[in-house]
């Protein structure tokens, strides 16, 4: 049996409600929006898809697992490393480099401005990344699979939403962290691009022995391109197992409390909302 890649040990985490008092001494339980309470969970290596209703905490779970958020109580271990040691990573470059070697994150609706061209960004990321070989096969593969050949001279902020998503996936694999976290990485793509992208990411993970955790509302993608799936249920009884087992109709309908055909309609509506810049990472 594989050793757990990531472990949540008695983890609790909350966000403050919007109208919570600024004085922490005046906080009450009603001011705390608990996402997790005393969560114990072991996540396996390989490709893991994360599914569940909107607002259930998928993005928060991944940010905790990647050491970008930290538990209020309990601990998260990533490849045996307590993420608590990365609390000062932004102020300490050596810690930041160590955290980045372990995990990198592609955020939902992620954008940034730069004067560099996309081609230069990918090359610079590869040069500063964590692939053992100096062979830039990962750059050439990324350009081809994510259809970037005609975009390399453009700036990132000049790209469309779908082009940005394809570029971010290429940047992430060029960087080469041990674990890649991707939050809704393909929602803006055409159907054939979604399948091609996730098929390649799965192959990249298996070939390089790196792990990938991704969330998506499209259940078919989560089933077809993951080794395992984590289904986050409202009652806190998460279901973790092989993607084919967890994504069965009976399991999903019991978790979502809606018929499967309605679930597919909800997926389409949520995709439209994301394309309009709706939800932000950390609330999904």
């Amino acid at each position: 049996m594989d050793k757990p890649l990531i472990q949540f040990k008695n983890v609790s985490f909350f966000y403050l409600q919007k109208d919570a008092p600024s004085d922490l001494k005046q906080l009450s339980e009603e001011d705390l929006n608990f996402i997790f309470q005393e969560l114990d969970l072991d996540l396996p290596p390989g490709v893991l898809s994360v599914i569940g209703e909107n607002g259930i905490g998928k993005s928060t779970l991944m940010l905790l697992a990647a050491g970008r958020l930290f538990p209020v109580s309990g601990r998260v271990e990533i490849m045996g490393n307590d993420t608590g040691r990365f609390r000062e990573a932004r102020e300490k470059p050596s810690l930041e480099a160590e955290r980045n070697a372990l995990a990198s994150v592609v955020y939902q609706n992620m954008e940034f401005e730069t004067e560099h061209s996309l081609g230069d960004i990918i090359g610079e990321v590869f040069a500063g990344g964590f692939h053992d070989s100096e062979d830039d096969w990962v750059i050439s593969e990324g350009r081809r699979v994510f259809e970037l050949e005609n975009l390399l001279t453009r700036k990132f902020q000049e790209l469309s939403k779908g082009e940005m998503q394809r570029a971010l996936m290429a940047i992430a694999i060029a960087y080469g962290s041990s674990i890649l976290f991707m939050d809704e990485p393909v929602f803006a793509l055409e159907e054939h691009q979604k399948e091609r992208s996730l098929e390649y990411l799965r192959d990249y993970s298996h070939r390089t022995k790196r792990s990938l955790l991704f969330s998506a509302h499209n259940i078919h993608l989560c089933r077809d391109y993951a080794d395992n799936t984590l289904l986050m249920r409202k009652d806190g009884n998460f279901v973790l197992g092989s993607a084919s087992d967890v994504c069965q109709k009976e399991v999903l309908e019991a978790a979502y409390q809606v018929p499967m055909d309605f679930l597919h309609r909800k997926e389409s509506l949520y995709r439209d909302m994301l394309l309009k810049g709706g939800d932000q990472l950390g609330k999904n």
Side-chain angles (χ1 to χ4, degrees):
M1 188 174 189
D2 288 329
K3 183 178 180 180
L5 181 76
I6 298 163
Q7 294 181 288
F8 287 73
K9 298 182 177 182
N10 201 34
V11 168
S12 294
F13 181 86
F14 62 79
Y15 293 107
L16 293 178
Q17 301 284 12
K18 289 183 179 179
D19 56 352
S22 57
D23 185 352
L24 298 182
K25 295 180 180 180
Q26 297 180 15
L27 290 176
S28 65
E29 288 190 13
E30 290 72 24
D31 296 316
L32 310 179
N33 177 23
F34 271 93
I35 308 300
F36 304 116
Q37 295 193 65
E38 300 179 351
L39 173 65
D40 287 303
L41 180 66
D42 290 351
L43 300 180
V47 182
L48 176 73
S49 56
V50 182
I51 61 176
E53 292 190 55
N54 184 37
I56 203 166
K58 298 186 297 295
S59 301
T60 300
L61 181 103
M62 288 198 290
L63 287 175
L64 286 165
R68 268 60 181 186
L69 289 177
F70 303 98
V72 174
S73 62
R75 59 190 284 164
V76 178
E77 293 185 3
I78 175 171
M79 299 178 68
N81 296 272
D82 183 350
T83 62
R85 63 192 302 268
F86 299 124
R87 287 181 182 271
E88 299 180 7
R90 291 186 178 181
E91 290 77 38
K92 297 182 178 180
S94 61
L95 270 182
E96 180 70 2
E98 187 177 343
R99 181 172 66 173
N100 289 341
L102 284 172
S104 57
V105 182
V106 173
Y107 296 85
Q108 192 182 104
N109 286 318
M110 186 175 182
E111 298 182 18
F112 58 86
E113 292 192 7
T114 175
E115 293 303 311
H116 298 284
S117 69
L118 176 59
D120 287 342
I121 292 172
I122 295 174
E124 290 170 5
V125 165
F126 176 80
F130 303 100
H131 283 281
D132 294 332
S133 172
E134 293 184 3
D135 184 356
D136 63 354
W137 59 268
V138 68
I139 295 180
S140 58
E141 286 189 0
R143 289 175 175 177
R144 174 177 54 80
V145 171
F146 301 117
E147 302 174 18
L148 303 177
E149 291 92 342
N150 297 326
L151 306 176
L152 298 174
T153 60
R154 293 167 60 183
K155 297 177 183 178
F156 188 85
Q157 61 268 27
E158 297 172 347
L159 305 178
S160 69
K161 180 68 74 175
E163 290 167 346
M164 285 182 181
Q165 286 201 303
R166 302 201 312 267
L168 286 169
M169 286 186 283
I171 291 169
I173 64 168
Y175 196 48
S177 300
S178 295
I179 310 173
L180 307 180
F181 294 85
M182 297 189 176
D183 188 30
E184 291 284 351
V186 297
F187 70 80
L189 306 189
E190 299 297 327
E191 290 304 315
H192 75 279
Q193 293 173 327
K194 294 177 182 180
E195 295 179 0
R196 186 182 187 192
S197 297
L198 289 174
E199 182 179 27
Y200 176 76
L201 288 172
R202 181 184 61 188
D203 178 66
Y204 168 84
S205 169
H206 292 168
R207 275 190 293 154
T208 64
K209 306 303 181 184
R210 288 168 167 81
S211 290
L212 166 67
L213 281 76
F214 74 92
S215 67
H217 277 69
N218 186 315
I219 300 299
H220 293 301
L221 295 177
C222 292
R223 179 196 63 199
D224 294 345
Y225 298 104
D227 304 318
N228 296 289
T229 295
L230 173 66
L231 170 59
M232 299 174 64
R233 294 170 50 113
K234 279 186 175 180
D235 60 9
N237 295 316
F238 297 170
V239 182
L240 175 63
S242 71
S244 58
D245 288 343
V246 175
C247 293
Q248 292 186 61
K249 178 175 181 287
E250 300 79 14
V251 177
L252 296 174
E253 289 185 342
Y256 287 87
Q257 294 293 298
V258 295
M260 200 67 179
D261 60 342
F262 183 73
L263 181 57
H264 291 318
R265 291 199 294 272
K266 285 181 68 176
E267 290 171 2
S268 178
L269 289 171
Y270 187 71
R271 176 181 181 273
D272 292 342
M273 183 174 66
L274 288 176
L275 285 170
K276 294 176 182 178
D279 276 13
Q280 297 299 314
L281 187 71
K283 299 181 181 179
N284 178 13

